[in-house]
Amino acid sequence: GYLSLLRGCDVLADAFGFNAQTTAVDALWSHVPIVTLPSNRWVGRVGASLAQSHPHGVYVACSEDEYVGMLLAVIRNRDSVAVAMSLKGGVSPV
């Protein structure tokens, strides 16, 4: 199903403007890191809010260039990112 597909991802590239919400929590629960770029609307800051409770799995960019750079860095370093996330543990789905 959906979660088994999500577990096969290296990173979740959060959408600009309207961040993932349930999908982002599912990604963290599945130990998939998130790269996000917050906007000035509440629906665009969900990913950044998740970073407060799960700092080893959410990377918050300040610009589009930094967003792309963070995505590339997470992909290039996916083994060390996976280790950090497994030590932190996934978030509860409840």
Side-chain angles (χ1 to χ4, degrees):
Y2 157 74
L3 290 177
S4 63
L5 290 174
L6 188 58
R7 287 182 191 107
C9 295
D10 290 326
V11 63
L12 174 70
D14 206 4
F16 296 170
F18 292 89
N19 290 169
Q21 296 183 24
T22 304
T23 305
V25 172
D26 289 343
L28 291 173
W29 187 45
S30 299
H31 296 235
V32 175
I34 300 168
V35 175
T36 188
L37 176 62
S39 72
N40 59 351
R41 301 174 66 191
W42 76 266
V43 295
R45 294 190 303 270
V46 175
S49 294
L50 289 171
Q52 299 296 316
S53 63
H54 208 282
H56 296 295
V58 183
Y59 302 88
V60 182
C62 295
S63 68
E64 290 181 19
D65 288 339
E66 187 177 31
Y67 176 87
V68 172
M70 284 180 169
L71 282 170
L72 293 173
V74 169
I75 291 167
R76 288 181 185 132
N77 298 297
R78 64 181 164 254
D79 291 338
S80 59
V81 170
V83 168
M85 289 190 70
S86 68
L87 293 174
K88 173 72 174 173
V91 296
S92 170
V94 179

Coordinates of all heavy atoms in Angstrom, one line a residue:
G1 N 0.8 -1.2 0.0 CA 0.0 0.0 0.0 C 0.9 1.2 0.0 O 2.1 1.2 -0.3
Y2 N 0.2 2.3 0.3 CA 0.8 3.7 0.3 C 2.0 3.7 1.2 O 3.1 4.3 0.8 CB -0.3 4.6 0.7 CG 0.2 5.9 1.3 CD1 0.7 6.9 0.5 CD2 0.1 6.2 2.7 CE1 1.2 8.1 1.0 CE2 0.5 7.4 3.2 CZ 1.0 8.4 2.4 OH 1.5 9.5 2.9
L3 N 1.9 3.3 2.5 CA 3.1 3.4 3.4 C 4.3 2.6 2.9 O 5.4 3.0 3.1 CB 2.7 3.0 4.8 CG 1.7 4.0 5.5 CD1 1.3 3.4 6.9 CD2 2.4 5.3 5.6
S4 N 4.0 1.4 2.3 CA 5.2 0.6 1.8 C 5.9 1.3 0.7 O 7.1 1.3 0.5 CB 4.7 -0.8 1.4 OG 3.8 -0.8 0.4
L5 N 5.1 2.0 -0.2 CA 5.7 2.8 -1.2 C 6.5 4.0 -0.6 O 7.6 4.3 -1.1 CB 4.7 3.4 -2.2 CG 4.0 2.4 -3.1 CD1 2.8 3.0 -3.9 CD2 4.9 1.7 -4.0
L6 N 6.0 4.6 0.4 CA 6.6 5.8 1.0 C 7.9 5.3 1.6 O 8.9 6.0 1.6 CB 5.7 6.4 2.1 CG 6.1 7.7 2.7 CD1 6.3 8.8 1.7 CD2 5.0 8.1 3.7
R7 N 8.0 4.2 2.2 CA 9.2 3.7 2.9 C 10.3 3.4 1.9 O 11.5 3.4 2.2 CB 8.9 2.4 3.6 CG 8.1 2.6 4.9 CD 7.9 1.3 5.7 NE 6.9 1.5 6.7 CZ 5.7 1.1 6.7 NH1 5.2 0.4 5.7 NH2 4.9 1.4 7.7
G8 N 10.0 3.3 0.6 CA 11.0 3.2 -0.5 C 11.6 4.5 -0.9 O 12.5 4.5 -1.8
C9 N 11.1 5.6 -0.4 CA 11.6 6.9 -0.9 C 12.9 7.3 -0.1 O 13.0 7.0 1.1 CB 10.5 8.0 -0.6 SG 9.1 7.8 -1.6
D10 N 13.7 8.0 -0.7 CA 14.9 8.6 -0.1 C 14.6 9.9 0.7 O 15.2 10.1 1.7 CB 16.0 8.9 -1.1 CG 16.6 7.6 -1.7 OD1 16.7 6.6 -1.0 OD2 17.0 7.6 -2.9
V11 N 13.7 10.7 0.2 CA 13.4 12.0 0.8 C 12.0 12.4 0.3 O 11.6 12.1 -0.9 CB 14.5 13.0 0.4 CG1 14.5 13.3 -1.1 CG2 14.2 14.3 1.2
L12 N 11.3 13.1 1.1 CA 10.0 13.7 0.7 C 10.3 15.2 0.4 O 10.7 16.0 1.3 CB 8.9 13.6 1.8 CG 7.6 14.4 1.5 CD1 6.9 13.7 0.4 CD2 6.8 14.5 2.7
A13 N 10.1 15.6 -0.9 CA 10.3 17.0 -1.3 C 8.9 17.7 -1.0 O 8.0 17.5 -1.8 CB 10.7 17.1 -2.7
D14 N 8.9 18.4 0.1 CA 7.6 19.1 0.4 C 7.2 20.2 -0.6 O 8.1 20.9 -1.1 CB 7.8 19.7 1.8 CG 6.5 19.9 2.6 OD1 5.5 19.4 2.1 OD2 6.6 20.4 3.7
A15 N 6.0 20.3 -0.9 CA 5.5 21.2 -1.9 C 5.6 22.6 -1.4 O 5.3 22.9 -0.2 CB 4.0 20.9 -2.3
F16 N 5.9 23.6 -2.3 CA 5.9 25.0 -1.9 C 4.5 25.5 -1.7 O 3.6 25.1 -2.5 CB 6.5 25.8 -3.0 CG 8.0 25.6 -3.3 CD1 8.6 26.1 -4.4 CD2 8.8 24.8 -2.5 CE1 9.9 25.9 -4.7 CE2 10.1 24.5 -2.7 CZ 10.7 25.1 -3.9
G17 N 4.3 26.4 -0.8 CA 3.0 27.0 -0.6 C 2.0 26.2 0.2 O 1.4 26.8 1.2
F18 N 1.8 25.0 -0.1 CA 0.9 24.1 0.6 C 1.6 22.9 1.0 O 1.7 21.9 0.2 CB -0.4 23.8 -0.3 CG -1.2 24.9 -0.5 CD1 -1.0 25.7 -1.6 CD2 -2.3 25.2 0.3 CE1 -1.8 26.8 -1.9 CE2 -3.1 26.3 0.1 CZ -2.9 27.1 -1.0
N19 N 2.2 22.9 2.2 CA 3.1 21.8 2.6 C 2.2 20.5 2.8 O 1.0 20.5 3.1 CB 3.7 22.1 3.9 CG 4.8 23.1 3.8 OD1 5.3 23.6 4.8 ND2 5.3 23.5 2.6
A20 N 2.9 19.4 2.7 CA 2.3 18.1 3.1 C 1.9 18.1 4.6 O 2.6 18.8 5.4 CB 3.3 17.0 2.9
Q21 N 0.9 17.5 4.9 CA 0.5 17.4 6.3 C 0.5 16.0 6.7 O 1.4 15.5 7.3 CB -0.9 18.1 6.4 CG -0.7 19.6 6.1 CD -2.0 20.4 6.3 OE1 -2.9 20.1 7.1 NE2 -2.1 21.5 5.6
T22 N -0.6 15.3 6.5 CA -0.6 13.9 6.9 C 0.5 13.1 6.2 O 1.1 12.2 6.8 CB -2.0 13.2 6.5 OG1 -3.0 14.0 7.1 CG2 -2.1 11.8 7.0
T23 N 0.8 13.4 4.9 CA 1.8 12.7 4.2 C 3.2 13.0 4.9 O 4.0 12.1 4.9 CB 1.9 13.2 2.7 OG1 0.6 13.0 2.1 CG2 2.9 12.4 1.9
A24 N 3.4 14.2 5.4 CA 4.7 14.5 6.0 C 4.8 13.7 7.3 O 5.9 13.1 7.6 CB 4.7 16.0 6.4
V25 N 3.7 13.6 8.1 CA 3.8 12.8 9.3 C 4.0 11.3 9.0 O 4.8 10.6 9.6 CB 2.5 12.9 10.2 CG1 2.5 12.0 11.3 CG2 2.4 14.4 10.6
D26 N 3.3 10.8 7.9 CA 3.5 9.4 7.5 C 5.0 9.2 7.1 O 5.6 8.2 7.3 CB 2.6 9.1 6.3 CG 1.2 8.9 6.8 OD1 0.9 8.8 8.0 OD2 0.3 9.0 5.9
A27 N 5.6 10.2 6.4 CA 7.0 10.1 5.9 C 7.9 10.0 7.2 O 8.8 9.1 7.2 CB 7.4 11.3 5.1
L28 N 7.7 10.8 8.1 CA 8.6 10.7 9.3 C 8.4 9.4 10.1 O 9.3 8.8 10.6 CB 8.3 11.9 10.2 CG 8.7 13.3 9.7 CD1 8.2 14.4 10.6 CD2 10.2 13.3 9.5
W29 N 7.2 9.0 10.2 CA 6.9 7.7 10.8 C 7.6 6.6 10.1 O 8.0 5.6 10.7 CB 5.4 7.5 10.9 CG 4.9 6.3 11.7 CD1 5.4 6.0 12.9 CD2 3.9 5.4 11.3 NE1 4.7 4.8 13.4 CE2 3.8 4.5 12.4 CE3 3.1 5.2 10.2 CZ2 2.9 3.4 12.4 CZ3 2.2 4.2 10.2 CH2 2.2 3.2 11.3
S30 N 7.7 6.7 8.8 CA 8.3 5.7 7.9 C 9.8 5.9 7.8 O 10.5 5.3 7.0 CB 7.7 5.7 6.6 OG 6.3 5.4 6.6
H31 N 10.4 6.9 8.6 CA 11.8 7.2 8.6 C 12.3 7.8 7.2 O 13.4 7.5 6.8 CB 12.7 6.0 9.0 CG 12.4 5.6 10.4 ND1 13.4 5.4 11.3 CD2 11.3 5.2 11.0 CE1 12.9 5.0 12.5 NE2 11.6 4.9 12.3
V32 N 11.4 8.5 6.6 CA 11.8 9.2 5.3 C 11.9 10.7 5.7 O 11.0 11.3 6.2 CB 10.6 9.1 4.3 CG1 11.0 9.9 3.0 CG2 10.5 7.6 3.9
P33 N 13.1 11.3 5.4 CA 13.3 12.7 5.8 C 12.5 13.6 4.8 O 12.2 13.2 3.7 CB 14.8 12.9 5.5 CG 15.2 11.8 4.6 CD 14.3 10.6 4.9
I34 N 12.3 14.8 5.3 CA 11.5 15.8 4.6 C 12.4 17.1 4.4 O 13.1 17.5 5.3 CB 10.3 16.2 5.4 CG1 9.4 15.0 5.6 CG2 9.5 17.3 4.7 CD1 8.3 15.3 6.6
V35 N 12.4 17.6 3.2 CA 13.0 18.9 2.9 C 11.8 19.9 2.6 O 10.9 19.6 1.8 CB 14.0 18.9 1.8 CG1 14.5 20.3 1.4 CG2 15.1 18.0 2.1
T36 N 11.7 21.0 3.3 CA 10.6 21.9 3.2 C 11.1 23.3 3.1 O 12.1 23.7 3.5 CB 9.6 21.8 4.4 OG1 8.4 22.5 4.2 CG2 10.3 22.2 5.7
L37 N 10.2 24.2 2.4 CA 10.5 25.6 2.3 C 9.2 26.3 2.8 O 8.2 26.3 2.1 CB 10.8 26.0 0.8 CG 10.9 27.5 0.5 CD1 12.1 28.0 1.3 CD2 11.2 27.7 -0.9
P38 N 9.2 26.9 4.0 CA 8.0 27.4 4.5 C 7.5 28.7 3.7 O 8.4 29.4 3.1 CB 8.3 27.8 5.9 CG 9.8 27.6 6.1 CD 10.3 26.9 4.9
S39 N 6.2 29.0 3.8 CA 5.7 30.2 3.2 C 5.1 31.0 4.3 O 5.2 30.7 5.5 CB 4.6 29.8 2.1 OG 3.5 29.4 2.7
N40 N 4.4 32.1 3.9 CA 3.9 33.0 4.9 C 2.5 32.6 5.3 O 1.9 33.3 6.2 CB 3.9 34.5 4.4 CG 3.1 34.6 3.1 OD1 2.7 33.7 2.5 ND2 2.9 35.9 2.7
R41 N 1.9 31.5 4.8 CA 0.6 31.1 5.2 C 0.7 29.8 6.0 O 1.7 29.1 5.9 CB -0.2 30.7 3.9 CG -0.4 31.9 3.0 CD -1.0 31.5 1.7 NE -2.4 31.1 2.0 CZ -3.2 30.5 1.1 NH1 -2.8 30.3 -0.1 NH2 -4.4 30.2 1.4
W42 N -0.2 29.6 6.9 CA -0.1 28.5 7.9 C 0.0 27.1 7.1 O 0.7 26.3 7.6 CB -1.3 28.5 8.9 CG -2.6 28.0 8.3 CD1 -3.6 28.7 7.8 CD2 -3.0 26.6 8.2 NE1 -4.6 27.9 7.4 CE2 -4.3 26.6 7.6 CE3 -2.4 25.4 8.6 CZ2 -5.0 25.4 7.4 CZ3 -3.1 24.2 8.3 CH2 -4.4 24.2 7.7
V43 N -0.7 27.0 6.0 CA -0.6 25.7 5.3 C 0.8 25.5 4.6 O 1.1 24.4 4.2 CB -1.7 25.6 4.2 CG1 -3.0 25.5 4.8 CG2 -1.6 26.7 3.2
G44 N 1.6 26.6 4.6 CA 2.9 26.5 4.1 C 4.0 26.4 5.1 O 5.2 26.5 4.8
R45 N 3.6 26.3 6.4 CA 4.5 26.2 7.5 C 4.4 24.9 8.3 O 5.1 24.7 9.3 CB 4.3 27.3 8.4 CG 4.7 28.7 7.8 CD 4.7 29.8 8.9 NE 3.4 29.9 9.6 CZ 2.4 30.7 9.3 NH1 2.5 31.4 8.2 NH2 1.3 30.7 10.0
V46 N 3.6 23.9 7.8 CA 3.5 22.7 8.5 C 4.8 21.9 8.6 O 5.1 21.4 9.6 CB 2.4 21.8 7.8 CG1 2.3 20.4 8.5 CG2 1.0 22.5 7.8
G47 N 5.5 21.8 7.5 CA 6.8 21.1 7.5 C 7.8 21.7 8.5 O 8.4 21.0 9.2
A48 N 7.8 23.0 8.5 CA 8.7 23.7 9.4 C 8.3 23.4 10.9 O 9.1 23.2 11.8 CB 8.8 25.2 9.2
S49 N 7.0 23.3 11.1 CA 6.5 23.0 12.5 C 6.9 21.6 12.9 O 7.2 21.4 14.0 CB 5.0 23.2 12.5 OG 4.6 24.5 12.3
L50 N 6.9 20.7 12.0 CA 7.3 19.3 12.3 C 8.7 19.3 12.7 O 9.1 18.4 13.5 CB 7.0 18.4 11.1 CG 5.6 18.1 10.8 CD1 5.4 17.4 9.5 CD2 4.9 17.3 11.9
A51 N 9.5 20.2 12.2 CA 11.0 20.2 12.5 C 11.2 20.4 14.0 O 12.2 20.0 14.6 CB 11.7 21.3 11.7
Q52 N 10.2 21.1 14.6 CA 10.3 21.4 16.1 C 10.3 20.1 16.9 O 11.0 20.0 17.9 CB 9.2 22.3 16.5 CG 9.2 23.7 15.9 CD 10.5 24.4 16.2 OE1 10.9 24.5 17.4 NE2 11.1 25.1 15.2
S53 N 9.5 19.1 16.4 CA 9.4 17.9 17.2 C 10.3 16.7 16.6 O 10.4 15.7 17.3 CB 7.9 17.4 17.2 OG 7.5 17.2 15.9
H54 N 10.8 16.9 15.5 CA 11.6 15.8 14.8 C 12.8 16.4 14.1 O 12.8 16.4 12.9 CB 10.7 15.0 13.9 CG 11.1 13.6 13.7 ND1 12.1 13.2 12.9 CD2 10.6 12.5 14.3 CE1 12.3 11.9 13.0 NE2 11.4 11.4 13.8
P55 N 13.7 17.0 14.8 CA 14.8 17.7 14.2 C 15.8 16.9 13.3 O 16.5 17.4 12.5 CB 15.6 18.3 15.4 CG 15.3 17.4 16.5 CD 13.9 16.9 16.3
H56 N 15.8 15.5 13.5 CA 16.7 14.7 12.7 C 16.0 14.3 11.3 O 16.6 13.6 10.6 CB 17.1 13.5 13.4 CG 17.9 13.8 14.6 ND1 19.2 14.5 14.5 CD2 17.7 13.7 15.9 CE1 19.6 14.7 15.7 NE2 18.8 14.2 16.6
G57 N 14.8 14.7 11.1 CA 14.1 14.2 9.9 C 13.6 15.3 9.0 O 13.1 15.0 7.9
V58 N 13.6 16.6 9.5 CA 13.0 17.7 8.7 C 14.1 18.7 8.5 O 14.7 19.2 9.4 CB 11.8 18.3 9.4 CG1 11.2 19.4 8.5 CG2 10.7 17.3 9.7
Y59 N 14.3 19.1 7.2 CA 15.3 20.1 6.9 C 14.6 21.3 6.3 O 13.8 21.2 5.3 CB 16.3 19.5 5.8 CG 17.0 18.3 6.4 CD1 16.5 17.0 6.2 CD2 18.2 18.4 7.1 CE1 17.1 15.9 6.8 CE2 18.8 17.3 7.7 CZ 18.3 16.1 7.5 OH 18.9 15.0 8.0
V60 N 14.7 22.4 7.0 CA 14.0 23.6 6.6 C 14.9 24.6 5.8 O 15.9 25.1 6.4 CB 13.4 24.3 7.9 CG1 12.6 25.5 7.5 CG2 12.6 23.3 8.7
A61 N 14.5 24.9 4.6 CA 15.3 25.8 3.7 C 14.7 27.2 3.9 O 13.5 27.4 4.2 CB 15.2 25.3 2.3
C62 N 15.6 28.2 3.6 CA 15.2 29.6 3.6 C 15.0 30.2 2.2 O 14.5 31.3 2.1 CB 16.2 30.4 4.4 SG 16.3 29.9 6.1
S63 N 15.4 29.5 1.2 CA 15.2 29.9 -0.2 C 15.0 28.7 -1.1 O 15.3 27.6 -0.7 CB 16.5 30.7 -0.6 OG 17.6 29.9 -0.7
E64 N 14.6 29.0 -2.3 CA 14.5 27.9 -3.3 C 15.8 27.3 -3.6 O 15.9 26.0 -3.8 CB 13.8 28.4 -4.6 CG 12.3 28.8 -4.4 CD 11.7 29.3 -5.6 OE1 12.2 29.0 -6.8 OE2 10.6 29.9 -5.5
D65 N 16.9 28.1 -3.7 CA 18.2 27.5 -4.0 C 18.6 26.6 -2.8 O 19.2 25.5 -3.0 CB 19.2 28.6 -4.2 CG 19.1 29.3 -5.5 OD1 18.4 28.7 -6.4 OD2 19.5 30.4 -5.6
E66 N 18.4 27.0 -1.6 CA 18.8 26.2 -0.4 C 17.9 24.9 -0.4 O 18.4 23.9 0.0 CB 18.6 27.0 0.8 CG 19.1 26.3 2.1 CD 19.0 27.1 3.3 OE1 18.1 27.9 3.5 OE2 19.9 26.9 4.2
Y67 N 16.7 25.0 -0.8 CA 15.8 23.9 -0.8 C 16.3 22.8 -1.8 O 16.5 21.6 -1.4 CB 14.4 24.3 -1.3 CG 13.3 23.3 -1.5 CD1 12.5 22.8 -0.5 CD2 13.1 22.7 -2.8 CE1 11.6 21.9 -0.7 CE2 12.2 21.8 -3.0 CZ 11.4 21.3 -2.0 OH 10.4 20.4 -2.2
V68 N 16.7 23.2 -3.0 CA 17.3 22.3 -3.9 C 18.6 21.7 -3.4 O 18.9 20.5 -3.5 CB 17.5 22.9 -5.3 CG1 18.3 22.1 -6.2 CG2 16.2 23.3 -5.9
G69 N 19.4 22.6 -2.8 CA 20.7 22.1 -2.2 C 20.5 21.1 -1.1 O 21.2 20.1 -1.0
M70 N 19.5 21.3 -0.3 CA 19.2 20.4 0.8 C 18.7 19.1 0.3 O 19.1 18.0 0.8 CB 18.2 21.0 1.8 CG 18.7 22.0 2.7 SD 17.4 22.6 3.8 CE 18.3 23.6 4.9
L71 N 17.9 19.1 -0.7 CA 17.4 17.8 -1.3 C 18.6 17.0 -1.8 O 18.7 15.8 -1.6 CB 16.4 18.1 -2.5 CG 15.0 18.5 -2.1 CD1 14.2 19.0 -3.3 CD2 14.3 17.3 -1.5
L72 N 19.5 17.7 -2.6 CA 20.7 17.0 -3.1 C 21.6 16.5 -2.0 O 22.0 15.3 -2.1 CB 21.4 17.9 -4.0 CG 20.7 18.3 -5.3 CD1 21.5 19.4 -6.1 CD2 20.5 17.1 -6.2
A73 N 21.7 17.2 -0.9 CA 22.6 16.8 0.2 C 22.0 15.6 0.9 O 22.7 14.7 1.3 CB 22.7 17.9 1.2
V74 N 20.7 15.6 1.1 CA 20.0 14.4 1.8 C 20.1 13.2 0.9 O 20.5 12.1 1.4 CB 18.5 14.7 2.1 CG1 17.8 13.5 2.5 CG2 18.4 15.8 3.2
I75 N 19.9 13.4 -0.4 CA 20.1 12.2 -1.3 C 21.5 11.7 -1.3 O 21.7 10.5 -1.2 CB 19.6 12.6 -2.7 CG1 18.1 12.8 -2.7 CG2 20.0 11.5 -3.7 CD1 17.5 13.5 -4.0
R76 N 22.5 12.6 -1.4 CA 23.9 12.2 -1.4 C 24.3 11.5 -0.1 O 25.2 10.7 -0.1 CB 24.8 13.4 -1.7 CG 24.7 13.8 -3.1 CD 25.6 15.0 -3.4 NE 25.4 15.5 -4.7 CZ 25.2 16.8 -5.1 NH1 25.2 17.7 -4.1 NH2 25.0 17.2 -6.3
N77 N 23.7 11.9 1.0 CA 24.1 11.4 2.3 C 23.0 10.6 3.0 O 22.9 10.6 4.2 CB 24.4 12.6 3.2 CG 25.6 13.4 2.7 OD1 26.7 12.9 2.6 ND2 25.3 14.7 2.4
R78 N 22.2 9.9 2.1 CA 21.0 9.2 2.7 C 21.4 8.1 3.7 O 20.6 7.9 4.6 CB 20.2 8.6 1.5 CG 20.9 7.6 0.7 CD 19.9 7.1 -0.4 NE 20.6 6.4 -1.4 CZ 20.9 6.8 -2.6 NH1 20.6 8.0 -2.9 NH2 21.6 6.1 -3.5
D79 N 22.5 7.5 3.6 CA 22.9 6.5 4.7 C 23.0 7.2 6.0 O 22.5 6.6 7.0 CB 24.1 5.8 4.3 CG 23.9 4.9 3.1 OD1 22.7 4.5 2.8 OD2 24.9 4.5 2.4
S80 N 23.8 8.3 6.1 CA 23.9 8.9 7.4 C 22.6 9.6 7.9 O 22.4 9.6 9.1 CB 25.1 10.0 7.4 OG 24.8 10.9 6.4
V81 N 21.8 10.1 7.0 CA 20.5 10.6 7.4 C 19.6 9.5 7.9 O 19.0 9.6 9.0 CB 19.8 11.3 6.2 CG1 18.4 11.6 6.5 CG2 20.6 12.5 5.8
A82 N 19.7 8.3 7.3 CA 18.9 7.2 7.8 C 19.3 6.7 9.1 O 18.5 6.4 10.0 CB 19.0 6.0 6.8
V83 N 20.6 6.7 9.4 CA 21.1 6.3 10.7 C 20.6 7.3 11.8 O 20.1 6.9 12.8 CB 22.6 6.3 10.8 CG1 23.1 6.1 12.2 CG2 23.1 5.1 9.9
A84 N 20.7 8.6 11.5 CA 20.2 9.6 12.5 C 18.7 9.5 12.8 O 18.3 9.6 13.9 CB 20.5 11.0 11.9
M85 N 17.9 9.2 11.7 CA 16.5 9.1 11.9 C 16.2 7.8 12.7 O 15.2 7.8 13.5 CB 15.8 9.1 10.6 CG 15.8 10.5 10.0 SD 14.7 10.6 8.5 CE 13.1 10.5 9.4
S86 N 16.9 6.7 12.5 CA 16.6 5.5 13.2 C 17.0 5.6 14.6 O 16.3 5.0 15.5 CB 17.3 4.3 12.5 OG 18.7 4.4 12.7
L87 N 18.0 6.4 15.0 CA 18.3 6.6 16.4 C 17.2 7.5 17.1 O 16.9 7.3 18.2 CB 19.7 7.3 16.5 CG 20.9 6.5 16.1 CD1 22.1 7.4 16.1 CD2 21.0 5.3 16.9
K88 N 16.6 8.4 16.3 CA 15.6 9.3 16.9 C 14.3 8.5 17.0 O 13.5 8.7 17.9 CB 15.4 10.5 16.0 CG 14.3 11.4 16.3 CD 14.5 12.2 17.6 CE 13.4 13.2 17.8 NZ 13.4 13.8 19.0
G89 N 14.0 7.6 16.0 CA 12.8 6.8 16.0 C 11.7 7.6 15.2 O 11.8 8.8 15.1
G90 N 10.8 6.9 14.7 CA 9.7 7.5 13.9 C 8.7 8.2 14.9 O 8.7 7.9 16.0
V91 N 7.9 9.1 14.3 CA 6.9 9.7 15.1 C 5.7 8.8 15.2 O 5.5 7.9 14.3 CB 6.5 11.1 14.5 CG1 7.6 12.0 14.5 CG2 5.9 10.9 13.1
S92 N 4.9 9.0 16.2 CA 3.7 8.2 16.4 C 2.6 8.6 15.4 O 2.4 9.7 15.1 CB 3.2 8.4 17.8 OG 1.9 7.8 17.9
P93 N 2.0 7.6 14.8 CA 0.9 7.9 13.8 C -0.4 8.4 14.5 O -1.3 8.8 13.8 CB 0.7 6.6 13.1 CG 1.0 5.6 14.1 CD 2.1 6.2 14.9
V94 N -0.4 8.4 15.8 CA -1.6 8.8 16.5 C -1.5 10.2 17.0 O -0.5 10.7 17.5 CB -1.9 7.8 17.7 CG1 -3.1 8.3 18.5 CG2 -2.0 6.4 17.2

